[in-house]
Structures are given as structure tokens and as C-alpha cells.
């Protein structure tokens, strides 16, 4: 299983003030390859159940609140 959390180059600049667009393009190419070879999921946490999610897991339940993690499979673009 591969976990990729917060991988971004948004607003990235080198020490000369130039935008590092080529790094962003490289990351996009790597992610496309990973999506072809592995099942990649994005996820977010919510208090409500979401039927549209590929998988929802109840991770915490108190008397008045429930907390779910919702997983969405990334498809090849």
C-alpha cells in the first residue's frame, strides 16, 4: 500500500525566484505511473456518512458524534 499525503509544489520557487514548474510536471508524471500500477486513494475525514465514497470507515463514535474516513479511488485520466 502506498500513502501519499500532501504532495504538492504549488507556490514553489527556487533561490532565484523562478517557479519550479518542471518539478511539478515530474510529480504529475510519477503519479500517472503509480495510478496505472497501483490502486491509489484520496481520503478525507467527515462527521457525516457519504454514500458516494468508494469506502467509508467509522473511526470514532461518541454519544452524539461519529467520525468517518471516506476513500475515493483515483482513476487514470
Amino acid at each position: 500500500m502506498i500513502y501519499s499525503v500532501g504532495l504538492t509544489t504549488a507556490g514553489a520557487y527556487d533561490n532565484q525566484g523562478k517557479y519550479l514548474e518542471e518539478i511539478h510536471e515530474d510529480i504529475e508524471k510519477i503519479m500517472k505511473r503509480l495510478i496505472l500500477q497501483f490502486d491509489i486513494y484520496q481520503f478525507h475525514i467527515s462527521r457525516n456518512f457519504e454514500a458516494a465514497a468508494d469506502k467509508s470507515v467509522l473511526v470514532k463514535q461518541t454519544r452524539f458524534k461519529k467520525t468517518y474516513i471516506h476513500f475515493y479511488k483515483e482513476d487514470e485520466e
Side-chain angles (χ1 to χ4, degrees), residues 42-58:
Q42 288 188 5
F43 70 92
H44 76 274
I45 298 171
S46 145
R47 299 259 186 233
N48 302 316
F49 182 79
E50 292 184 15
D54 293 320
K55 177 78 175 171
S56 291
V57 178
L58 177 65

Side-chain angles (χ1 to χ4, degrees), residues 8-14 17-21 23:
T8 182
T9 59
Y13 291 85
D14 64 9
K18 295 181 181 177
Y19 179 66
L20 299 178
E21 189 172 316
I23 292 176

Side-chain angles (χ1 to χ4, degrees), residues 16-61:
Q16 297 172 351
K18 295 181 181 177
Y19 179 66
L20 299 178
E21 189 172 316
E22 61 275 1
I23 292 176
H24 184 74
E25 290 171 1
D26 290 342
I27 290 173
E28 285 180 348
K29 289 177 188 174
I30 291 168
M31 287 306 296
K32 286 179 183 176
R33 283 192 209 152
L34 287 173
I35 288 169
L36 290 174
Q37 296 177 8
F38 299 98
D39 290 337
I40 307 274
Y41 290 86
Q42 288 188 5
F43 70 92
H44 76 274
I45 298 171
S46 145
R47 299 259 186 233
N48 302 316
F49 182 79
E50 292 184 15
D54 293 320
K55 177 78 175 171
S56 291
V57 178
L58 177 65
V59 292
K60 184 178 180 183
Q61 182 173 1

